[in-house]
Amino acid sequence: MTGIYFSGTGNTKHCIEKLLHLLDETAEAVPMEEEEAADFVSRHDFIILAYPVQFSNIPVMVRDFVKQHSELWKGKKVFCVATMALFSGDGAGCAARLLKRYGAKVVGGLHLCMPDSICDVKLLKKPVEKNRKIIRAADKKIEQCAEKIKRGRYPKNGLRVYDRIAGLLGQRLWFSGKTRDYSDRLKISDACTGCGLCTRLCPMKNIIQKSGRAAAGNRCTMCYRCINSCPAQAITLLGDKVGEQCRYDKYIKR
């Protein structure tokens, strides 16, 4: 068993690592952008695939990873984990349908609400203690899921027909353009100090240093790593001003 994940600000990373640890203490979870990710898929028969949902869809980077390594999925057992700020309908189902096309056996799906990480849009913002409560609820759901899997019973979150209809009508039908391809709308203001943090964090290598400051390309996968970590709050994407920067580690009590 292994885990392959894409995580923007730490939510999904926490969820897959916790689930894997409960199922197999020796299992590892590998970030999708790492070179060894495809090798991990090839060497294991049971894979947990985890990612954050964007507008009731899977991130383009995740979709590309599955497609680019299509030959590796045949005959694999896959359990899909989708994290979201509120609701997705068929967040796990979006990847499940793609994986089945390449011969994978999708055994189940799990939806987990985690703190919203879109820090340049005020919608869904919650106080720190509320977000800690959300994480505690997610942890409990993960623990319950692990117990079911140990008994051979897999949750089917997001895999049914009515889940697909809910996801389509809830968001995907109206916002399909935002997740059809990578975004070229990442904005970097004059507040940028050229520290290089965003360049190191970007999973797509979409940000470079140019003339002493950061410059964005056209392959943003909307993970919000750079936006939520920029010390100068100089980067935005969906909105025009950074409000409260949101990362998983912010909600863990020291």
Side-chain angles (χ1 to χ4, degrees), residues 57-75:
N57 210 344
I58 57 177
V60 184
M61 181 180 176
V62 178
R63 190 163 68 237
D64 277 359
F65 180 86
V66 173
K67 290 180 177 180
Q68 289 166 4
H69 303 290
S70 58
E71 74 285 354
L72 299 180
W73 301 103
K74 188 174 183 179

Side-chain angles (χ1 to χ4, degrees), residues 204-219:
M204 294 301 303
K205 309 302 181 188
N206 183 56
I207 306 175
I208 63 172
Q209 293 295 305
K210 186 176 181 180
S211 301
R213 54 172 292 177
N218 60 359
R219 287 178 59 80

Side-chain angles (χ1 to χ4, degrees), residues 19-244:
L19 179 57
L20 269 178
H21 180 78
L22 291 170
L23 294 173
D24 180 356
E25 291 186 358
T26 66
E28 294 183 70
V30 181
M32 194 168 292
E33 65 266 27
E34 297 295 330
E35 291 183 2
E36 65 264 31
D39 182 57
F40 266 66
V41 173
S42 68
R43 291 192 286 110
H44 293 82
D45 295 325
F46 189 171
I47 299 149
I48 296 179
L49 173 66
Y51 52 87
V53 172
Q54 298 174 343
F55 297 102
S56 290
N57 210 344
I58 57 177
V60 184
M61 181 180 176
V62 178
R63 190 163 68 237
D64 277 359
F65 180 86
V66 173
K67 290 180 177 180
Q68 289 166 4
H69 303 290
S70 58
E71 74 285 354
L72 299 180
W73 301 103
K74 188 174 183 179
K76 305 287 187 182
K77 290 173 61 177
V78 184
F79 185 78
C80 298
V81 176
T83 60
M84 58 206 67
L86 186 62
F87 164 83
S88 75
D90 60 339
C94 290
R97 292 189 293 274
L98 183 61
L99 288 162
K100 288 178 181 178
R101 188 186 307 170
Y102 299 124
K105 180 182 178 182
V106 178
V107 296
L110 179 65
H111 284 181
L112 296 166
C113 287
M114 290 293 282
D116 172 49
S117 62
I118 309 301
C119 67
D120 55 355
V121 177
K122 291 183 179 180
L123 189 65
L124 301 180
K125 288 295 167 289
K126 299 179 180 66
V128 170
E129 192 50 50
K130 176 65 175 177
N131 282 325
R132 286 174 177 160
K133 185 176 180 181
I134 290 171
I135 293 173
R136 289 194 293 269
D139 282 348
K140 184 175 182 180
K141 189 172 182 180
I142 293 170
E143 292 163 3
Q144 292 170 342
C145 173
E147 288 303 313
K148 289 180 180 178
I149 291 177
K150 289 176 182 177
R151 298 195 299 270
R153 296 169 52 205
Y154 294 90
K156 304 292 184 181
N157 297 171
L159 302 184
R160 299 177 176 86
V161 174
Y162 56 78
D163 295 322
R164 187 173 185 178
I165 294 172
L168 182 66
L169 297 180
Q171 286 195 92
R172 202 159 55 249
L173 184 64
W174 321 110
F175 300 107
S176 61
K178 291 184 179 295
T179 55
R180 186 174 292 121
D181 203 348
Y182 295 102
S183 175
D184 60 358
R185 302 197 174 188
L186 196 69
K187 303 177 287 288
I188 302 176
S189 75
D190 292 338
C192 172
T193 62
C195 71
L197 178 61
C198 56
T199 303
R200 297 190 296 273
L201 289 175
C202 181
M204 294 301 303
K205 309 302 181 188
N206 183 56
I207 306 175
I208 63 172
Q209 293 295 305
K210 186 176 181 180
S211 301
R213 54 172 292 177
N218 60 359
R219 287 178 59 80
C220 172
T221 194
M222 299 195 297
C223 70
Y224 268 75
R225 285 186 196 174
C226 62
I227 304 170
N228 278 295
S229 298
C230 176
Q233 296 189 351
I235 313 174
T236 54
L237 177 61
L238 297 179
D240 296 315
K241 182 180 179 181
V242 174
E244 177 188 357

